[in-house]
Amino acid sequence: MLNIDDDMHAMKITTSALLVMALFAFSFAVNLYNNGFDYRLHIDEHKKVRFIKDGSQDFMHPTFMLKLSKVIKKITRQDSEQRLAVSGRSVSAFMGACIVIAVFFLSRQMLTTPFALSAALSVAVSPIIVIHSHYLKEDVYFAAALLFSLLFFIKTLETGKRSNVALFGLFFGLALSSQYKSALMLIIFPIIPFVDKKIEKKDYAKELAAALSISVVTFLVVNYNIFIDAANAYKGLSHEITHIQTGHSIHIYPLGQLFLFHYKYSLIPGITLAATVICTMGYCLSLYGWKRAAVPEKTLLLCITAYYFAHEISPLKPAPDFMRYMIPIAPMLIIVGWLGIERTYHFLRRSGRRLSGYALLCVAALCLLVLPAYDSANLVANLVDDTRMTAARYLRGVTGGYLYETYGLPRLYDAEYVKSAADIDLDAARRDGICHVVASSMEYDKYYYGSRIKGQDAAVYGRHAAYERLFRYPYVEIRPKYKTYAFSNPTIRIVDICAGERE
């Protein structure tokens, strides 16, 4: 009998391992698909590619992503900007798949294997993870490292093994090396012993000190050039701190939004409306059961709450992709969502309502798997044939010169470029032979939104009025085939300023 039981246990482990590998391969493939779009469509990628190519840096972010991209550049011997962007995006695709695996193992601290796999699959198909795994940006690097650091943090609490302490320190060091905001965890870690009295505080303090020492060493090894170019590093870090405090061109404060800005404009489009509602219910259910919750669940709740409100409190919500600030939160929220589903399912079964339990699972599969997968599939399918590519083709057939603003065309910083179409003197432009202005919803929408918020800089209201004047002229509008999302597929308006204004 023992041999049969051992064989069954081994079979379950093997099956789980194969499913996890299949899940990683699936996520990686989805994240790689259609990632060859023009690197000039994404203004931040344009800068990152330049950093990778010439070795420069502005230190507005730590350098883990750039260091890794430079290593790949040396291995592949690629030098063209487009190929550097695609190879960098491929690493982002890998990191996105790592997020999925981290979610599975984190979920296993709270969920049974089938529900942990479901949570990981939900993350794998969620639009916020899929699309941002197609960009050469630090966000998925940070989320992957943070989630793995949380996994080994929890394992350190459970076992106290040195290997777990070391891995916790290593991954948190990589999180610190990806984005400065990982330092928020330095507030959360000291709180943990006070939310669970079973934790021996002295042992915890020693383990945390050892792990953080490894994190500091990791950060310094990755970001060694901070010391080589200390003045520039200080300038970049100071810029980011000021940025957080004062915001971008539009200042969005929490009270005016009832602390719901990122909920409405980041989480709902990030994981879809139905999934957000279900995961919010799971979060509330976990908060309700706080006293009975184990350390892994409490840790996730603290992280979700801290990171969400930190981003809500800051006026920094830069368009067009403020959604990326919710990337580390979305996987955690999905985990607690599935935790709520599993608890409700088992409650229904214990109550003798099996059919209700099965109906719950069907609804969960639809809302957390099918609908997000449909959204992601449509978004990914349209990445290459972006609206700005259509606009570029259209402009080949127009007469007269043209100007374009940021996110208006797959080009940047050439003779026809202006930062904002609202700053163009239309009369002077016409005298210079300009007949068309290319405007992007990624620019003009933020000023339309900002104009409805009190207390903005005068330039915000001025630019909104300028766009209103610009759009009195006839224009051709190029809309996305599916929808605008993050840095992709804005609505483009090609305005004919040589024609008379419309009534």
Side-chain angles (χ1 to χ4, degrees), residues 100-172:
V100 173
I101 300 307
V103 165
F104 171 75
F105 287 111
L106 258 179
S107 300
R108 281 296 291 121
Q109 305 299 310
M110 295 160 273
L111 298 165
T112 58
T113 299
F115 283 91
L117 285 168
S118 298
L121 185 56
S122 290
V123 173
V125 298
S126 62
I128 194 170
I129 300 299
V130 171
I131 294 303
H132 288 91
S133 295
H134 281 75
Y135 295 148
L136 179 57
K137 284 284 287 178
E138 296 86 356
D139 304 281
V140 290
Y141 285 71
F142 166 62
L146 179 65
L147 290 169
F148 272 113
S149 72
L150 288 176
L151 170 65
F152 288 106
F153 168 72
I154 290 166
K155 286 186 173 292
T156 295
L157 294 179
E158 291 176 350
T159 67
K161 288 183 179 179
R162 291 181 179 178
S163 58
N164 288 327
V165 173
L167 288 169
F168 163 39
L170 172 65
F171 281 108
F172 185 59

Side-chain angles (χ1 to χ4, degrees), residues 46-58 66 69-70 73-74 78-81 84 225 232:
H46 184 273
K47 181 173 73 170
K48 304 298 183 187
V49 167
R50 175 166 55 83
F51 288 161
I52 294 166
K53 189 171 182 178
D54 65 19
S56 60
Q57 170 62 276
D58 62 8
L66 296 178
S69 296
K70 287 173 185 176
K73 174 179 177 285
K74 288 182 180 179
Q78 292 175 347
D79 201 44
S80 81
E81 286 84 354
L84 287 172
N225 48 337
N232 202 24

Side-chain angles (χ1 to χ4, degrees), residues 172-365:
F172 185 59
L174 293 176
L176 287 168
S177 299
S178 299
Q179 287 193 333
Y180 296 122
K181 64 184 175 185
S182 53
L184 184 59
M185 293 301 300
L186 297 176
I187 299 173
I188 295 173
F189 290 141
I191 295 173
I192 298 298
F194 298 96
V195 300
D196 195 302
K197 295 179 181 179
K198 296 176 185 177
I199 297 173
E200 176 57 47
K201 291 183 176 63
K202 287 185 179 179
D203 291 341
Y204 177 83
K206 290 178 182 177
E207 291 164 353
L208 182 60
L212 292 181
S213 298
I214 295 169
S215 299
V216 170
V217 171
T218 303
F219 177 83
L220 294 176
V221 168
V222 174
N223 297 277
Y224 64 87
N225 48 337
I226 284 176
F227 303 104
I228 297 171
D229 193 5
N232 202 24
Y234 176 77
K235 183 179 177 182
L237 181 58
S238 299
H239 175 274
E240 281 303 291
I241 292 171
T242 303
H243 217 195
I244 291 167
Q245 295 172 334
T246 61
H248 214 263
S249 52
I250 310 295
H251 313 299
I252 303 174
Y253 292 95
L255 291 179
Q257 307 295 318
L258 301 177
F259 288 87
L260 291 172
F261 180 88
H262 279 298
Y263 192 85
K264 292 188 292 185
Y265 301 114
S266 299
L267 287 173
I268 288 175
I271 61 176
T272 71
L273 174 60
T276 305
V277 171
I278 289 173
C279 291
T280 303
M281 291 170 67
Y283 172 79
C284 293
L285 186 63
S286 290
L287 282 180
Y288 180 77
W290 175 268
K291 291 183 179 179
R292 300 184 303 274
V295 174
E297 187 176 352
K298 287 181 176 178
T299 302
L300 283 190
L301 291 174
L302 285 171
C303 290
I304 292 168
T305 306
Y307 272 96
Y308 180 83
F309 282 101
H311 286 102
E312 278 293 324
I313 290 168
S314 171
L316 177 63
K317 298 173 179 74
D321 189 23
F322 35 71
M323 187 194 310
R324 66 186 186 274
Y325 294 150
M326 295 292 106
I327 290 173
I329 294 175
M332 300 182 205
L333 196 60
I334 288 171
I335 292 172
V336 297
W338 277 103
L339 183 59
I341 291 165
E342 183 175 25
R343 284 171 172 163
T344 307
Y345 171 72
H346 289 308
F347 170 77
L348 291 171
R349 291 201 63 178
R350 287 194 303 270
S351 304
R353 290 176 280 180
R354 286 176 174 265
L355 285 178
S356 297
Y358 294 142
L360 172 68
L361 294 183
C362 289
V363 171

